[in-house]
Amino acid sequence: MSHLTTHILDATAGTPAPNVAVALHRHHEGGAIESVAEGFTDADGRLALGPDLLEAGMYALTFATGAYFADRGIDTFYPLATVTFTVADRPHYHVPLLLSPFAYSTYRGS
């Protein structure tokens, strides 16, 4: 079982990305997708999401990057950025997103 956090950095502005909508979904065998939680990043671009304990399995975080950039008058190629990952037996997962209007990257944080 585990806990999940994320942090979004806007690489073009060199600042955290506040008020970005983020949704967490669980993918089940057979193709079913379950909505687990949703929220918005805080002023520091951070968000703790989901229940305190996530069951093992495949999950996806979807970041509403289009709305974030539109609020700033910036066009973007990626209106949504989805990061799919596997939860096993770690107590905590951190999935950061480094964002620009035309690219994004992620890694398994600590």
Side-chain angles (χ1 to χ4, degrees):
M1 302 287 186
S2 62
H3 185 283
L4 177 70
T5 57
T6 189
H7 185 207
I8 306 173
L9 295 174
D10 182 337
T12 56
T15 61
N19 205 34
V20 177
V22 181
L24 174 64
H25 293 91
R26 182 169 183 200
H27 293 254
H28 295 276
E29 289 184 30
I33 300 172
E34 171 190 3
S35 179
V36 177
E38 55 187 38
F40 289 87
T41 56
D42 64 13
D44 194 35
R46 297 180 184 276
L47 175 64
L49 196 61
D52 287 339
L53 300 174
L54 292 175
E55 294 181 21
M58 183 171 51
Y59 291 82
L61 282 173
T62 300
F63 302 88
T65 56
Y68 168 77
F69 283 117
D71 286 348
R72 284 149 186 77
I74 300 171
D75 291 331
T76 183
F77 184 70
Y78 298 106
L80 296 173
T82 300
V83 178
T84 305
F85 57 97
T86 302
V87 168
D89 58 359
R90 296 180 66 188
H92 177 79
Y93 285 83
H94 183 65
V95 183
L97 187 72
L98 183 61
L99 182 61
S100 82
F102 302 103
Y104 64 89
S105 64
T106 186
Y107 57 93
R108 184 178 77 177
S110 57

